[in-house]
Amino acid sequence: TNNSDRQSLTYTYDAAGNVTGVFAAARDVTARRKAEEELRSARDLLEKRVVERTAELAEANVQLRTGIEERMRAEESLRETSEYLEKLITYANAPIIVWDREFRITRFNHAAELLTGRTAREMIGQRIDILFPERYVDAVMDLIRRTMTGERLNVVEIPVLHRSGDV
């Protein structure tokens, strides 16, 4: 008997060992071979895509790590700068008052407390215009608005109202 994927042969013999007949069976395996080849091609393509995608993901991972490291360095630098400015504002001998776009006070250092007779705790969140005598409020707020547009003023005296009523 000879068995292959394509055909099978069976021989019959007489008593003397001579071949007296042959039985042959064949089957068409074209579709199976084609399917196997398509499967092999698909597997090869998939393996190639896995390798490519793995490389892409590895590169993306490197970029993410680099971005995270850069962000961490920037955050550290920002924290250091913030600490420096915080100390500068807190310990400065000059009054420093910081406000937001709505003119609400966000920082009020110790020298500003001494100048106004008011504590930072009571001033944070208040509008800055409460620090000026009523007759000067419009003029001072106009100066402040002009500086917020980028205008630079060399020397300007701003009357500041002390808690006692003194200017």
Side-chain angles (χ1 to χ4, degrees):
T1 303
N2 178 7
N3 289 324
S4 71
D5 286 340
R6 293 192 179 140
Q7 65 183 4
S8 174
L9 297 176
T10 303
Y11 301 95
T12 57
Y13 304 92
D14 63 13
N18 297 319
V19 175
T20 58
V22 176
F23 175 75
R27 61 182 166 169
D28 185 2
V29 292
T30 305
R32 185 174 126 206
R33 293 278 189 227
K34 184 177 178 184
E36 287 173 351
E37 183 57 36
E38 288 174 357
L39 185 60
R40 196 172 10 262
S41 293
R43 188 191 70 230
D44 291 346
L45 180 62
L46 182 60
E47 286 177 358
K48 179 182 175 189
R49 282 297 297 140
V50 166
V51 168
E52 290 170 354
R53 189 66 181 131
T54 300
E56 290 169 3
L57 291 172
E59 177 61 28
N61 193 28
V62 167
Q63 290 176 357
L64 283 173
R65 283 185 182 165
T66 301
I68 289 169
E69 290 168 0
E70 288 173 0
R71 176 177 271 165
M72 289 174 67
R73 282 191 299 274
E75 286 175 356
E76 177 63 18
S77 177
L78 184 58
R79 185 190 60 74
E80 289 172 359
T81 301
S82 180
E83 286 177 2
Y84 172 77
L85 291 174
E86 180 69 27
K87 289 176 184 174
L88 183 66
I89 290 170
T90 300
Y91 298 111
N93 290 328
I96 298 176
I97 303 168
V98 180
W99 57 87
D100 62 18
R101 292 190 180 278
E102 286 78 40
F103 303 105
R104 300 231 177 261
I105 297 171
T106 59
R107 290 296 322 262
F108 201 81
N109 75 348
H110 183 66
E113 290 178 327
L114 294 174
L115 177 70
T116 64
R118 301 166 194 239
T119 66
R121 178 178 282 177
E122 66 185 295
M123 295 308 297
I124 302 295
Q126 298 292 324
R127 284 186 50 89
I128 194 168
D129 55 6
I130 69 168
L131 292 174
F132 313 122
E134 192 173 322
R135 67 177 185 250
Y136 297 108
V137 168
D138 291 337
V140 171
M141 291 305 292
D142 182 55
L143 283 172
I144 290 172
R145 283 185 192 92
R146 287 174 33 206
T147 62
M148 290 177 73
T149 64
E151 184 177 335
R152 293 182 177 251
L153 306 174
N154 289 329
V155 177
V156 177
E157 282 193 28
I158 298 176
V160 175
L161 187 63
H162 190 274
R163 177 187 295 274
S164 67
D166 292 341
V167 177

